[in-house]
Amino acid sequence: GAVVSQHPSWVICKSGTSVKIECRSLDFQATTMFWYRQFPKQSLMLMATSNEGSKATYEQGVEKDKFLINHASLTLSTLTVTSAHPEDSSFYICSARDSPITGEAFFGQGTRLTVV
Amino acid sequence: GDSVTQMEGPVTLSEEAFLTINCTYTATGYPSLFWYVQYPGEGLQLLLKATKADDKGSNKGFEATYRKETTSFHLEKGSVQVSDSAVYFCALRKIYNQGGKLIFGQGTELSVKP
């Protein structure tokens, strides 16, 4: 299957700083990428959907100014957590689809963010 | 709105036991149904899927049948192994609605003991 790579796998940052997480589709062009947040022993919560070259669509309750998503190319989307706080600590997972609506969704390995 | 409900975990089984993880869904129209598996510290991997009623998805000894009459997609395996220990997510997707996004159940943790 297709490969989606996230980087970094884990990151620790100080409160008030910003952190960028990258999601890359390695062997296919991803017109659509999704960002999820997962709390311990809970399901995945969709944060936003991004389409290459356009603004991301955020789910209700997700602060778009805090979670900046950029999908500048067909193989790269980034999630930047701005002015991070301890409550932003979580496991973030991206997913990429190889065609807009009907394509299979492939998931990255996730990024563990800890804000201290 | 559309939703997926899974049986609560954790589920603890001995090696070679039979596994069933229940999944039911609520959705209008004709969603596709999926099972994903998440190993510790990793992202999700697609385990199997079914796109229409009565379809059976199968992979690695796991199988699930799309039952529209009972709105269910229960995951089964005849003989589990320690390596099957993971969290399993049931999900639905409506291809042409809501941007084709996946809606996940809450996940069921499976622990298989030797």
Side-chain angles (χ1 to χ4, degrees), chain B:
Chain B
D2 299 336
S3 65
V4 177
T5 302
Q6 293 178 233
M7 65 186 286
E8 286 197 23
V11 173
T12 303
L13 296 173
S14 297
E15 208 166 20
E16 299 184 1
F18 185 86
L19 168 71
T20 299
I21 299 178
N22 290 338
C23 170
T24 57
Y25 68 91
T26 300
T28 57
Y30 304 95
S32 295
L33 301 175
F34 304 81
W35 277 100
Y36 285 88
V37 58
Q38 183 180 32
Y39 297 101
E42 298 185 11
L44 274 67
Q45 301 174 29
L46 177 64
L47 182 60
L48 53 84
K49 68 178 180 182
T51 57
K52 62 183 187 298
D54 300 325
D55 268 2
K56 178 186 284 188
S58 61
N59 185 26
K60 300 180 181 178
F62 291 90
E63 59 181 36
T65 301
Y66 189 146
R67 301 286 187 200
K68 192 164 179 63
E69 64 275 15
T70 54
T71 62
S72 65
F73 193 53
H74 305 320
L75 182 68
E76 296 181 337
K77 186 175 185 183
S79 176
V80 293
Q81 305 299 314
V82 173
S83 57
D84 294 326
S85 298
V87 180
Y88 292 81
F89 291 94
C90 185
L92 72 80
R93 190 171 111 199
K94 288 173 14 179
I95 299 295
Y96 296 105
N97 290 339
Q98 302 175 354
K101 64 183 180 183
L102 285 162
I103 297 172
F104 288 93
Q106 68 270 39
T108 302
E109 182 179 2
L110 170 65
S111 177
V112 180
K113 308 296 184 185

Side-chain angles (χ1 to χ4, degrees), chain A residues 32 34 36 38 41-44 46 49 59 91 93 95 97 100-110, chain B residues 34 36 38 41-46 49 87 89 93-97 99-102 104-107 109:
Chain A
T32 304
F34 302 86
Y36 297 86
Q38 186 181 30
K41 299 191 181 297
Q42 292 189 28
S43 189
L44 283 73
L46 180 64
T49 303
E59 296 297 302
F91 194 57
I93 303 176
S95 171
R97 184 169 291 162
I101 300 295
T102 60
E104 188 75 50
F106 301 95
F107 288 80
Q109 71 272 35
Chain B
F34 304 81
Y36 285 88
Q38 183 180 32
E42 298 185 11
L44 274 67
Q45 301 174 29
L46 177 64
K49 68 178 180 182
V87 180
F89 291 94
R93 190 171 111 199
K94 288 173 14 179
I95 299 295
Y96 296 105
N97 290 339
K101 64 183 180 183
L102 285 162
F104 288 93
Q106 68 270 39
E109 182 179 2

Side-chain angles (χ1 to χ4, degrees), chain A residues 66-114:
Chain A
K66 179 166 188 63
F67 298 101
L68 301 180
I69 292 171
N70 185 283
H71 192 166
S73 79
L74 285 171
T75 59
L76 174 65
S77 176
T78 59
L79 167 67
T80 301
V81 183
T82 62
S83 187
H85 291 283
E87 57 265 31
D88 299 325
S89 297
S90 193
F91 194 57
Y92 293 88
I93 303 176
C94 74
S95 171
R97 184 169 291 162
D98 56 3
S99 69
I101 300 295
T102 60
E104 188 75 50
F106 301 95
F107 288 80
Q109 71 272 35
T111 298
R112 171 72 60 195
L113 169 64
T114 302

Side-chain angles (χ1 to χ4, degrees), chain A residues 49-68:
Chain A
T49 303
S50 72
N51 293 296
E52 185 266 337
S54 62
K55 289 185 178 180
T57 301
Y58 289 81
E59 296 297 302
Q60 192 171 9
V62 178
E63 298 177 63
K64 60 183 180 182
D65 294 332
K66 179 166 188 63
F67 298 101
L68 301 180

